């Protein structure tokens, strides 16, 4: 007789079912793990700059500039419209301000109220900002307007993400 140990039917079924169950569990877990890790592996679009206007078009008076950005939410791709108030400061620097009021998120406009002709005005609750985006004391906003990152290349203005001040 040989010294081999024989595998009983019960042990064979136990090994077979454990192996098949393990493969099935791995097959079910692999997509879940990939789904959980995928956002970490995809490169972020933060820091991207978008061409919005020619530098020659920018004056000392704030102008509303609009552009579109490609946005991907899972499998849905869309174009989102962005807006900025852009002007040249006294130092000949380009300033780009977000039009979103820091009080409740309404949209501010330049010189839209006759009582405050040289200020950004929020029609929702009477919020006011000076030309450089600083909130006027005694009005609802408690923080200045966010500023877009700016970059000038080949006579074109590029805007990036907003930065709180």
């Amino acid at each position: 007789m040989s010294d081999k140990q024989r595998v009983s039917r019960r042990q064979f079924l136990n090994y077979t079912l454990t192996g098949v169950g393990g493969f099935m569990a791995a097959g079910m877990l692999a997509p879940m793990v990939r789904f959980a890790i995928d956002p970490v592996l995809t490169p972020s679009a933060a820091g991207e700059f978008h061409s919005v206007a020619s530098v020659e078009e920018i004056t000392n008076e704030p102008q509303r500039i609009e552009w579109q950005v490609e946005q991907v939410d899972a499998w849905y791709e869309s174009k989102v419209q962005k807006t900025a108030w852009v002007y040249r400061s006294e130092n000949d620097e380009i300033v780009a301000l977000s039009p979103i009021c820091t009080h409740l998120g309404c949209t501010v406009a330049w010189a839209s109220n006759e009582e405050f002709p040289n200020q950004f005005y929020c029609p929702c609750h009477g919020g006011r900002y000076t030309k450089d985006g600083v909130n006027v004391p005694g009005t609802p906003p408690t923080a200045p307007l966010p500023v877009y990152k700016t970059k000038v290349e080949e006579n074109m203005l590029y805007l990036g993400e907003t930065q709180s001040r």
Side-chain angles (χ1 to χ4, degrees):
M1 257 198 178
S2 68
D3 291 335
K4 288 187 190 178
Q5 272 199 324
R6 299 193 68 163
V7 177
S8 68
R9 275 189 217 151
R10 180 173 287 192
Q11 286 176 321
F12 174 76
L13 284 174
N14 191 11
Y15 294 152
T16 304
L17 290 176
T18 302
V20 169
F23 278 114
M24 289 176 62
M28 288 179 7
L29 287 176
M32 289 184 224
V33 170
R34 175 69 178 156
F35 180 76
I37 294 177
D38 190 49
V40 176
L41 300 177
T42 56
S44 98
E48 283 188 13
F49 282 84
H50 302 278
S51 174
V52 295
S54 171
V55 174
E56 295 156 355
E57 298 173 7
I58 299 170
T59 63
N60 292 344
E61 190 76 13
Q63 304 171 37
R64 185 183 177 109
I65 294 183
E66 297 178 346
W67 71 99
Q68 290 188 340
V69 177
E70 297 265 342
Q71 180 175 313
V72 179
D73 293 322
W75 59 89
Y76 181 71
E77 295 180 15
S78 62
K79 289 191 178 205
V80 177
Q81 185 153 338
K82 298 267 192 167
T83 306
W85 285 98
V86 180
Y87 70 95
R88 282 189 190 275
S89 68
E90 289 80 26
N91 308 344
D92 204 37
E93 294 177 0
I94 296 176
V95 178
L97 299 171
S98 169
I100 307 301
C101 180
T102 57
H103 177 231
L104 288 176
C106 299
T107 303
V108 300
W110 173 253
S112 63
N113 189 322
E114 295 165 358
E115 294 178 40
F116 314 107
N118 293 322
Q119 293 181 347
F120 289 101
Y121 182 75
C122 177
C124 295
H125 297 102
R128 296 182 357 234
Y129 299 90
T130 59
K131 184 177 179 179
D132 60 352
V134 175
N135 52 311
V136 175
T139 62
T142 57
L145 291 172
V147 178
Y148 281 98
K149 293 180 185 178
T150 60
K151 177 170 71 169
V152 176
E153 286 182 3
E154 299 176 5
N155 214 23
M156 290 297 294
L157 173 64
Y158 291 84
L159 296 183
E161 294 294 315
T162 56
Q163 297 175 329
S164 297
R165 297 191 274 170

